[in-house]
Amino acid sequence: MTARRSRRRSAAYAALALGLAGSLALTGCNSHSKKSKKSSSSSTSKSKKRKIIGGGGAAAGAGAASHRSSDCKASATKLGVTHRPDPSRLVITYENRSSAPCHLYYAPVIRLDRSEVPLQPLHEESAVMAHRATVPAHGKAFAVIPTNTAATKGAHLNTMDIRFSDSHGDPRALSADIGFSKYQPTVAASSKAKVGEWYTSLDLADLKSGTDK
């Protein structure tokens, strides 16, 4: 082998080595680029998922806020009055027809037959310490008017005006009028009667008004 042929072969080997090195470098770049794209795509997907999850949480929070309790509203369709004979008393029933709980404070403010003076509460405000009854959604609350003495039995009622107290014990502006027909002679009371506080249990309302057996 001559020196000239040996130099040509060495040059050919060097060119081949350079070509292989360039090819490997290009392959590495392409692989790195693909990994970068996959990483970017995965990051974008996770970001979208986080946004969706965050949006759901906000919606759930809004739903919870819409079910927060508020003060109960006076309405003749939500109120009823019945006479219980043994022991004698009138039971005022409030029905919460909404899908959220509501609050009733102290005793209802009741006027009999358009009287200017409401019935007195059974207990002083200071004695019941800002009494509040929380009526659950679709639940009921009860207030009792004892009529177990001659002075409190009174005459047949024609109308009963009911207002709710606010958190300070003052009557709210909105009231509900309940009318009684001549076919309800047992619905009777006098201005001497007193009314107890709201409770979500009739047994407890009876107990607190002193009419429990």
Side-chain angles (χ1 to χ4, degrees):
M1 181 182 295
T2 64
R4 183 179 293 178
R5 185 177 295 177
S6 177
R7 284 196 297 271
R8 286 179 180 173
R9 183 171 292 180
S10 296
Y13 284 154
L16 179 61
L18 285 172
L20 288 172
S23 177
L24 289 172
L26 183 60
T27 302
C29 286
N30 288 339
S31 175
H32 180 72
S33 177
K34 287 179 179 179
K35 287 182 179 178
S36 297
K37 287 181 179 178
K38 285 184 179 178
S39 176
S40 176
S41 175
S42 175
S43 176
T44 302
S45 176
K46 287 180 180 177
S47 177
K48 286 182 178 178
K49 286 181 179 179
R50 282 197 294 270
K51 285 181 180 178
I52 291 171
I53 292 170
S66 67
H67 284 75
R68 289 175 183 169
S69 55
S70 58
D71 293 349
C72 299
K73 303 297 188 295
S75 169
T77 60
K78 297 178 181 180
L79 287 159
V81 182
T82 55
H83 174 254
R84 304 291 178 96
D86 188 23
S88 181
R89 68 218 190 272
L90 298 184
V91 176
I92 316 299
T93 303
Y94 176 80
E95 182 179 359
N96 179 13
R97 297 182 181 177
S98 71
S99 58
C102 66
H103 303 310
L104 291 170
Y105 302 93
Y106 298 102
V109 180
I110 296 177
R111 289 177 171 82
L112 307 179
D113 288 339
R114 312 297 181 189
S115 171
E116 293 184 2
V117 181
L119 298 183
Q120 293 297 304
L122 274 169
H123 309 105
E124 295 295 330
E125 288 180 19
S126 57
V128 294
M129 296 295 290
H131 175 79
R132 185 180 77 177
T134 300
V135 191
H138 308 293
K140 293 182 179 180
F142 308 91
V144 173
I145 301 174
T147 56
N148 48 8
T149 67
T152 58
K153 285 185 184 298
H156 169 70
L157 296 175
N158 295 307
T159 62
M160 182 182 287
D161 177 90
I162 301 177
R163 294 187 183 189
F164 295 159
S165 298
D166 62 19
S167 58
H168 302 290
D170 298 320
R172 297 187 212 149
L174 186 64
S175 65
D177 281 330
I178 299 178
F180 307 101
S181 72
K182 63 181 179 180
Y183 302 107
Q184 297 170 300
T186 55
V187 183
S190 79
S191 59
K192 301 291 185 181
K194 294 185 177 182
V195 57
E197 294 80 34
W198 290 107
Y199 291 94
T200 54
S201 162
L202 179 55
D203 289 340
L204 188 56
D206 280 335
L207 177 65
K208 295 296 184 178
S209 67
T211 58
D212 61 311
K213 292 183 179 180

